[in-house]
Amino acid sequence: REQIQKGEHRLAVRALFLASLAHLGERGLIRVARFKSNRDYGRELDLKAHSQAELRTAFGENVGLFERTWYGLHQIGAEAIDHFIRNYEHITRAPSAPGQTHA
């Protein structure tokens, strides 16, 4: 959010995206690894959170926004940032994978 206030939307999207990966990893919904692609994470999330369609949709939308912004160097406006943040908040409220607990 600090990066958003500075006008660094690209860095803000990257930070929020990485935070969402870390959160999903802590919840046992994905296993974070350097060699994995965003598509790998999406497939893993589909398997472990198959009954959580809204979570999978929010993650998929954020992957698309992140990739267009970070790799495609597209400018992201305030409306897209707000949408990304709403998805991020939904992702961070996601329950753990079955059989997983968190502190």
Side-chain angles (χ1 to χ4, degrees):
R1 295 182 195 270
E2 179 182 316
Q3 296 299 330
I4 292 169
Q5 290 176 347
K6 290 180 183 177
E8 296 286 349
H9 296 159
R10 188 168 176 259
L11 292 175
V13 165
R14 182 173 188 268
L16 287 169
F17 184 72
L18 294 175
S20 65
L21 289 179
H23 173 82
L24 292 170
E26 289 171 3
R27 296 295 189 260
L29 293 168
I30 63 171
R31 291 190 68 191
V32 178
R34 283 185 174 256
F35 64 87
K36 288 185 179 180
S37 69
N38 293 334
R39 184 172 289 183
D40 292 333
Y41 291 127
R43 281 193 295 263
E44 191 173 0
L45 191 61
D46 286 345
L47 291 172
K48 292 186 179 176
H50 61 275
S51 65
Q52 299 177 50
E54 290 178 10
L55 167 65
R56 292 182 291 116
T57 297
F59 181 77
E61 289 176 358
N62 276 9
V63 166
L65 271 170
F66 167 71
E67 289 180 345
R68 282 190 303 278
T69 303
W70 190 253
Y71 301 115
L73 302 177
H74 292 226
Q75 295 296 320
I76 186 168
E79 187 175 312
I81 286 278
D82 290 343
H83 187 74
F84 195 95
I85 290 170
R86 282 192 303 276
N87 281 341
Y88 169 78
E89 289 170 348
H90 183 79
I91 291 165
T92 58
R93 289 191 308 268
S96 300
Q100 294 286 321
T101 58
H102 58 277

